[in-house]
Amino acid sequence: QVQLVESGGDLVQAGGSLRLSCAASKNIFSIADMGWYRQVPGKQRESVATIFTAGTTKYADSVKGRFTISRDNSKNTVYLQMNSLKPDDTAVYYCNAREIMSTRNYWGQGTQVTVSS
């Protein structure tokens, strides 16, 4: 079992920056792809960014060039650096770990990001 704890959500003005953190209870980066998702009320949860076990990354088109996902193996922590934030980025952001050799899938509790115009 893996616990994921997000932090860093806040209220920020459009054009501002935030960095979200996701601390894992153990080092799983070699066996799990790590991702950030977001969800607004009434809509499906959507993938924002993924960092794969090999270290490669993937981004939603809506955040390319503005968001950066990274990880620190020594701290068991994944980050999402968000720059040039827009009101449309307002959502609850969730951290996800998906083990590549099993069906195990873990979620954090979410952190609220609100971007004011």
Side-chain angles (χ1 to χ4, degrees):
Q1 192 74 8
V2 177
Q3 284 75 48
L4 302 174
V5 179
E6 301 101 332
S7 62
D10 205 346
L11 170 64
V12 64
Q13 288 190 331
S17 298
L18 281 175
R19 188 177 79 158
L20 305 183
S21 299
C22 170
S25 58
K26 60 183 180 181
N27 193 311
I28 58 170
F29 298 157
S30 63
I31 63 170
D33 297 331
M34 303 297 298
W36 285 97
Y37 289 70
R38 66 187 181 188
Q39 188 170 25
V40 297
K43 291 190 177 181
Q44 279 192 326
R45 192 171 295 188
E46 64 173 356
S47 175
V48 174
T50 304
I51 184 162
F52 299 97
T53 54
T56 54
T57 58
K58 180 182 177 181
Y59 297 92
D61 287 343
S62 59
V63 307
K64 279 181 184 175
R66 299 188 299 122
F67 291 10
T68 303
I69 188 171
S70 62
R71 67 189 183 200
D72 185 331
N73 291 346
S74 66
K75 297 181 179 179
N76 297 341
T77 301
V78 176
Y79 302 99
L80 185 68
Q81 178 66 43
M82 305 187 294
N83 298 328
S84 302
L85 283 161
K86 305 175 182 179
D88 283 350
D89 295 318
T90 296
V92 177
Y93 283 71
Y94 296 90
C95 181
N96 171 264
R98 185 179 68 247
E99 292 190 6
I100 59 175
M101 298 299 290
S102 76
T103 59
R104 283 189 285 270
N105 200 23
Y106 305 100
W107 292 94
Q109 82 288 351
T111 186
Q112 176 71 47
V113 172
T114 303
V115 184
S116 64
S117 56

